[in-house]
């Protein structure tokens, strides 16, 4: 109104107010369809072009990194939802927005947790999200299922995208789906047989010849590629021992939950 756009359209403030109220009412009526985005494309009540439908879905399922960072790894339950008031105050995200985001996370989790097939693809197909957003939701589902501890003070410097990257690596290499791509919970549960096999890595810290060979292979692969290469090479023996010790304990649920704490305390700190 202040910019004079209404004059160009030959409209007045009353028309603008009426149109805006119509948009709010329309959204209230079609919001339930966003809970199952595929229904939005098949309904006939609202005439929304495909590109606007895609935008509406993407924005509805968008989330604030500050908010997800606070609840990442927590159980998506009523107990966590009760904490949303405090999280809203801490992050500056409105309570209404916190509730929408939390409900979206929970909804996606419930739909995909028992589906066969790749997690990212299931999210993309059922919720019509972009590849990037689907991968972020896959990370959220993965962390919620495995209950990784992310809230400790020593982990606060890590962003959601840091954890999302790690989730992608774990999903692609450590889950049941990394070995069998048509099982339930394939990209959600860590492969127990694989975790059991990690115990065999102990030989790398008990056999000096194998330790030397391991160091040679790792250094050859990372030379010129890793920022902390010099520190890694100088501390290789201690780092290797710490990594192997972390790996051999991952058959224990608590050690799985503390995985990132152990990595920071016993690996990353050693390189700083």
């Amino acid at each position: 109104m202040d910019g004079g756009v209404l004059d160009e359209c030959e409209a007045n403030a009353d028309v603008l107010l009426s149109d805006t109220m119509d948009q709010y009412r329309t959204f209230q009526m079609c919001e339930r369809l966003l809970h199952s985005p595929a229904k939005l494309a098949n309904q006939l009540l609202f005439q929304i072009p495909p590109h606007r439908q895609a935008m509406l879905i993407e924005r509805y399922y968008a989330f604030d990194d500050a908010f997800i960072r606070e609840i990442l790894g927590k159980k998506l339950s009523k107990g966590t939802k009760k904490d949303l008031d405090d999280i809203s105050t801490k992050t500056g995200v409105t309570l209404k927005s916190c509730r929408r985001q939390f409900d979206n996370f929970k909804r996606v989790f419930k739909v995909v947790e028992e589906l066969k097939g790749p997690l990212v693809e299931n999210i993309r197909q059922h919720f019509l999200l972009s590849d990037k957003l689907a991968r972020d939701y896959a990370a959220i589902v993965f962390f919620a299922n495995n209950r990784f501890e992310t809230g400790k003070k020593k982990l606060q410097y890590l962003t959601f995208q840091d954890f999302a990257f790690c989730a992608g690596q774990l999903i692609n290499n450590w889950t049941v789906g990394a070995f069998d791509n048509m099982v339930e919970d394939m990209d959600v549960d860590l492969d127990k047989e694989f975790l059991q096999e990690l115990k065999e890595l102990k030989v790398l810290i008990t056999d000096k010849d194998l330790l030397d060979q391991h160091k040679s292979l790792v250094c050859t692969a990372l030379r010129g590629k890793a920022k902390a290469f010099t520190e890694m090479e100088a501390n290789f023996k201690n780092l290797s021992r710490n990594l192997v010790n972390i790996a051999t304990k991952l058959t224990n649920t608590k050690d799985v939950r503390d995985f990132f704490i152990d990595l920071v305390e016993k690996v990353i700190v050693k390189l700083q």
Side-chain angles (χ1 to χ4, degrees), residues 95-228:
L95 182 58
K96 195 170 185 178
S97 183
C98 287
R99 286 174 177 160
R100 172 183 60 81
Q101 294 177 51
F102 181 85
D103 289 343
N104 285 344
F105 300 150
K106 190 172 181 178
R107 186 180 305 112
V108 172
F109 185 95
K110 280 189 171 183
V111 169
V112 303
E113 67 173 331
E114 300 295 339
L115 292 177
K116 293 182 179 181
L119 180 58
V120 174
E121 187 58 30
N122 284 338
I123 292 173
R124 197 161 40 208
Q125 286 187 4
H126 282 78
F127 291 92
L128 309 182
L129 304 180
S130 65
D131 182 70
K132 172 66 171 62
L133 195 54
R135 290 183 184 282
D136 283 346
Y137 268 88
I140 294 166
V141 170
F142 182 73
F143 267 76
N145 182 72
N146 291 285
R147 304 288 300 283
F148 289 111
E149 174 59 64
T150 66
K152 296 294 184 184
K153 188 175 181 180
K154 61 190 66 178
L155 298 178
Q156 288 306 305
Y157 76 97
L158 294 167
T159 67
F160 166 71
Q161 290 303 327
D162 291 331
F163 284 117
F165 173 81
C166 292
Q169 296 300 308
L170 292 172
I171 288 170
N172 290 334
N173 298 287
W174 287 26
T175 60
V176 179
F179 306 97
D180 184 351
N181 64 4
M182 281 309 290
V183 293
E184 289 184 2
D185 299 343
M186 57 167 290
D187 286 347
V188 178
D189 290 335
L190 295 173
D191 187 87
K192 292 181 180 178
E193 288 185 23
F194 169 71
L195 297 181
Q196 192 67 40
E197 289 171 357
L198 290 178
K199 290 182 178 292
E200 297 175 15
L201 291 176
K202 280 187 176 179
V203 69
L204 292 177
I205 55 178
T206 57
D207 187 312
K208 185 179 184 306
D209 290 338
L210 282 176
L211 175 62
D212 291 340
Q213 185 180 358
H214 183 218
K215 179 178 179 179
S216 176
L217 290 169
V218 172
C219 289
T220 299
L222 295 182
R223 185 172 284 107
K225 298 178 182 178
K227 293 180 180 178

